[in-house]
Amino acid sequence: MLDRFYLPLLGLAAIAAVAVALVWPQGLGDRSPAPFGHPPVQRTARMQAAMHRETEAAQRRVNNAREAVRNIQKDALAPSQ
């Protein structure tokens, strides 16, 4: 295909992609402008509670792992008789 046809078509395709990105639903992030989009899933109370539970569980796992490492190190440095 000749460059004089291909490059303008490529430019139009890029402009169309940007235009579609401005109005297409954005997934789980912020809501798209009306009338497109839907309420963000991550902002619902149910999802917020699930994310909070997941964060707390991850923090507990990290704390348990750190405590296990401390115990192993303590036993290695001062083994019980």
Side-chain angles (χ1 to χ4, degrees), residues 42-62:
Q42 291 178 337
R43 292 192 183 166
T44 61
R46 190 167 140 203
M47 183 60 77
Q48 289 285 323
M51 290 185 335
H52 185 67
R53 285 191 307 270
E54 184 177 340
T55 301
E56 287 178 344
Q59 288 174 347
R60 277 194 304 272
R61 285 192 301 271
V62 167

Side-chain angles (χ1 to χ4, degrees), residues 2-70:
L2 298 175
D3 285 347
R4 64 181 179 189
F5 294 121
Y6 176 70
L7 293 177
L9 287 176
L10 188 62
L12 288 174
I15 291 171
V18 170
V20 168
L22 290 174
V23 297
W24 198 260
Q26 302 299 309
L28 298 177
D30 284 334
R31 186 176 178 151
S32 294
F36 302 100
H38 52 80
V41 174
Q42 291 178 337
R43 292 192 183 166
T44 61
R46 190 167 140 203
M47 183 60 77
Q48 289 285 323
M51 290 185 335
H52 185 67
R53 285 191 307 270
E54 184 177 340
T55 301
E56 287 178 344
Q59 288 174 347
R60 277 194 304 272
R61 285 192 301 271
V62 167
N63 290 337
N64 290 342
R66 286 181 180 160
E67 186 64 30
V69 169
R70 280 189 207 107

